[in-house]
Amino acid sequence: MLFRSLSDDRFDAVFSNAVLHWIRQPELALRQIAARLKEGGRLVLEMGGARNIAAIRSGLLEARRRLALPDVESPWYFPTLGEYSALVEGSGLRVGAAWHFARPTPMAGEGGLRNWLLMFANAYLDEVDSPIREKLIEAVEVGTRAALYRDGQWWIDYWRLRIVAYRD
């Protein structure tokens, strides 16, 4: 992911995988990318889209409520295809192709969801003490098991946006 270059170089392509849904200022990020692309250059991106990890997010919020923990601002930005395509085009790029699709992804074994939460859900877990964190994770597992656990493993409910855009 490129946001700033120390030189005046422009690039033929920028590729981003699973980064842009962490960026809280998407317009700024896209303007920076567009500014660094050569004429005819392309941006290829994949990121979380609308409905991404919906069961997990719901499970986290419900578990935090049950444990009387305060709300936490989501660290993620999961736009619709139309919303993000408009932002891409507003940055000066032309969307050439765009998809929004489900990509259920297996996590190995019984600890799969726990491992995912510990890696990606820090905003929901880090401010609580270890015993409460353990109860929170367990509550998310219980609350999402029916939706996300099958065939002996957890399935993360990913929904992805994939966009290819060009600088004319």
Side-chain angles (χ1 to χ4, degrees):
M1 189 71 241
L2 170 73
F3 289 104
R4 186 189 304 180
S5 174
L6 298 177
S7 69
D8 232 5
D9 293 336
R10 296 199 182 266
F11 300 92
D12 295 319
V14 173
F15 173 76
S16 175
N17 183 46
V19 172
L20 291 169
H21 57 252
W22 293 97
I23 305 298
R24 303 301 297 167
Q25 297 177 307
E27 298 91 347
L28 177 59
L30 289 166
R31 281 195 313 268
Q32 291 291 325
I33 291 168
R36 303 311 304 154
L37 283 172
K38 292 179 183 176
E39 187 174 313
R42 70 189 176 285
L43 165 63
V44 178
L45 70 89
E46 185 170 307
M47 63 185 283
R51 298 189 285 178
N52 194 51
I53 62 169
I56 293 171
R57 286 184 291 151
S58 178
L60 280 163
L61 294 176
E62 181 57 31
R64 288 183 66 87
R65 277 189 212 106
R66 274 195 231 134
L67 293 168
L69 296 170
D71 288 339
V72 175
E73 184 179 353
S74 173
W76 304 300
Y77 168 61
F78 299 134
T80 66
L81 180 60
E83 178 185 349
Y84 208 73
S85 293
L87 291 177
V88 170
E89 294 209 335
S91 75
L93 300 175
R94 178 182 45 83
V95 173
W99 303 265
H100 181 227
F101 57 96
R103 196 188 79 204
T105 302
M107 297 287 117
E110 186 63 36
L113 179 59
R114 169 181 301 272
N115 293 336
W116 189 96
L117 291 167
L118 290 169
M119 183 172 292
F120 296 114
N122 306 45
Y124 297 91
L125 302 174
D126 282 356
E127 91 288 357
V128 296
D129 294 332
S130 189
I132 300 297
R133 182 181 309 118
E134 193 58 33
K135 287 180 183 179
L136 179 58
I137 291 170
E138 289 171 7
V140 174
E141 289 174 327
V142 168
T144 61
R145 184 172 285 276
L148 300 178
Y149 192 81
R150 64 185 180 280
D151 303 326
Q153 61 188 356
W154 290 94
W155 290 79
I156 304 302
D157 55 334
Y158 285 136
W159 275 84
R160 311 311 283 174
L161 288 181
R162 187 175 294 159
I163 296 177
V164 180
Y166 300 91
R167 180 171 179 165
D168 291 330

